[in-house]
Each structure stands twice: as C-alpha cells, then as structure tokens.
Amino acid sequence: MLLLDIGNTNLRWTTQAAGRLGEVRILRHGGGMTLDLLAAWEALGAPSRILVSNVGGAAVAESLRRVTRAYWGLDPEFVSTRADFGGVRIAYAEPARFGVDRWLTLIAAHAPALDDAGTAPRQPTLILDAGTAATFDLLLADGRHLGGLILPGIEMMRNSLLAGTQIPRIESEPVGDPWAQDTGTAVAAGSVQAIAALARRLLDRLTEQAGATPRLLLTGGDAQRLRSALDRPFQEIPDLVLRGLLQVAERIPLSG
C-alpha cells in the first residue's frame, strides 16, 4: 500500500508491506504534486491500495488523484473521521468537524501496536502535533477522547506578531534559558514556550481527570523545535498519522 499524510504545508508518504511502514519521505506540497515526488513514484511499483489523510485542501487532493490514475490506474481513498472506530470515541458531536489528521493520531495512539511488544496496557495520552497549527488532544486509556485545543504553530505565531510590529525577525532558534535578552529572540522563544507551557498544563489536568500519569506523544514537522522546551517525558513519533492510516487500512477492507 501507499500511505500519504497531506498537511497544510508538508506531505509525508511511505509504503507498507507485511504490516510495517517503510521509510517516510517528507516534502512541501505547495498545493500540488511536486517534481521530486513524481520522480520518486516513477520508480515505485504499482501499489495495491492508496490511503490518504488530507487537510491540505481540494486542489492537492485533485492533483493527487490525477497522478495516481495516470501512474497506476488507481484512485486514492481519502479517509474521513468516524465517531467510534478502533476503540476510540471522539468528543466532537459532529465528526466531520474534527480534523482527520487529529483523528488518525488518536487511532494510532490507542492501538497496542504503538508499543514495541504490542501488549503494554493502554495509558491516558496527550498528543501534541506541532505543525502549521499546534493541536492538542486528550485521550483516556479506555479510548474516550476528551477533546482538544488548537493554537497557531510556531511560525504562524511569530509571523502574526511580526506582521503587526516593527520587531525584526530572528531566524535562529532560542537555546538555554526559556527567556531572552533581546526582543527578536524573545519572540522566537515565546512561540516555543507558549506551546510547551500549554502541554504542561494539559498534562496536569489529564492526570487529575484520569487518576494516572499520562504519556505525552509529540509529532509534527516542528516537533524537534519543542524538544528542549518540554519539561516532561515525551515520546516523539514523526509518523503518527501514517501509523493511524495503517490501522484504518487493516480494519477497513479495500472497497469494490
């Protein structure tokens, strides 16, 4: 199978065989299929199935559909959020309003296969997906989704402030103390620390709600920029959405 995670900015893709994911490739999609992606797929054998998580919009979806039909005569299957699936029950009353990428991270987090042995007891979990937006979702050990929060991502947070001020842009990332000694770096540090501080607060509230210590799963394109700011143990899983897609593929047979 060919599995794709199309975000607002980046596209991640991999192949699956014998229940395992292959190497994950990442690129910026720009609303369409890039030349680098097309070149890589020219050398790819025809997949039996193409599953897609898409929050990147209709244009990139249509571009993907044209390419897969031309290359392999296959239509991609665009996964959509379900209220109750794989033991996960989402909090939203209208499942269509809950992003499919967020849903797939919940499915992956609740799957026993996330653990090395596949047998560890499930835990309450906070998922932090740091991308164009930073999303937080809280999941109890029994699969009940409590809900979540959404913030602007690191770059969006910085850009929104810089656009309305005369503060100069600082491209380097903050290091060391969580505070800064000049204004530009203070903006850079503030965007990181705001997300990390919210993660800490939500972990504390989830501990109270669940009566157990939750784990923190970190994913998304900006995950590495948050590592030093997080002061709680965390597990970084870059391909969490793709793992969720694999779980969906194993539970939903090929249509037709």
Side-chain angles (χ1 to χ4, degrees):
M1 286 190 296
L2 179 62
L3 305 176
L4 292 93
D5 167 19
I6 305 175
N8 292 296
T9 303
N10 291 333
L11 181 152
R12 288 175 168 78
W13 69 275
T14 189
T15 55
Q16 175 273 345
R20 292 185 177 273
L21 297 179
E23 178 187 358
V24 177
R25 312 283 186 89
I26 305 172
L27 50 85
R28 289 182 176 268
H29 58 69
M33 300 294 101
T34 68
L35 292 177
D36 288 344
L37 181 65
L38 297 180
W41 283 4
E42 283 181 355
L44 193 67
S48 60
R49 192 176 183 188
I50 304 167
L51 263 72
V52 187
S53 164
N54 179 34
V55 298
V60 68
E62 181 56 32
S63 178
L64 172 64
R65 187 178 288 109
R66 289 197 301 269
V67 169
T68 61
R69 285 174 176 172
Y71 274 35
W72 306 301
L74 286 176
D75 279 323
E77 300 174 57
F78 292 94
V79 173
S80 58
T81 302
R82 300 190 179 194
D84 192 336
F85 183 87
V88 172
R89 301 173 301 285
I90 65 170
Y92 279 36
E94 299 179 52
R97 297 177 66 86
F98 187 62
V100 66
D101 53 342
R102 293 172 63 192
W103 177 68
L104 288 167
T105 64
L106 293 175
I107 299 300
H110 194 63
L114 187 65
D115 304 292
D116 291 338
T119 57
R122 293 185 171 102
Q123 302 170 253
T125 301
L126 173 65
I127 301 168
L128 167 50
D129 189 343
T132 303
T135 65
F136 300 81
D137 281 289
L138 296 85
L139 182 69
L140 296 179
D142 65 3
R144 181 159 53 99
H145 174 229
L146 297 178
L149 294 172
I150 302 175
L151 284 181
I154 292 172
E155 285 303 315
M156 189 176 292
M157 210 180 295
R158 294 176 184 177
N159 290 339
S160 65
L161 180 57
L162 295 174
T165 67
Q166 298 301 311
I167 298 172
R169 173 174 288 277
I170 301 294
E171 296 297 343
S172 60
E173 292 300 311
V175 295
D177 294 329
W179 49 84
Q181 282 76 42
D182 67 83
T183 303
T185 308
V187 172
S191 61
V192 172
Q193 293 298 325
I195 294 172
L198 183 54
R200 183 188 315 118
R201 177 175 176 80
L202 290 176
L203 283 169
D204 289 342
R205 293 296 299 271
L206 184 55
T207 299
E208 296 173 5
Q209 177 84 15
T213 301
R215 63 180 173 174
L216 171 60
L217 299 184
L218 177 63
T219 192
D222 277 340
Q224 75 281 359
R225 303 169 83 175
L226 291 168
R227 292 170 187 157
S228 62
L230 295 170
D231 60 1
R232 305 289 176 85
F234 65 91
Q235 183 180 0
E236 186 174 343
I237 306 178
D239 59 352
L240 196 59
V241 172
L242 293 170
R243 294 191 190 199
L245 270 176
L246 183 57
Q247 291 295 318
V248 170
E250 291 175 348
R251 288 175 168 83
I252 299 179
L254 178 63
S255 58

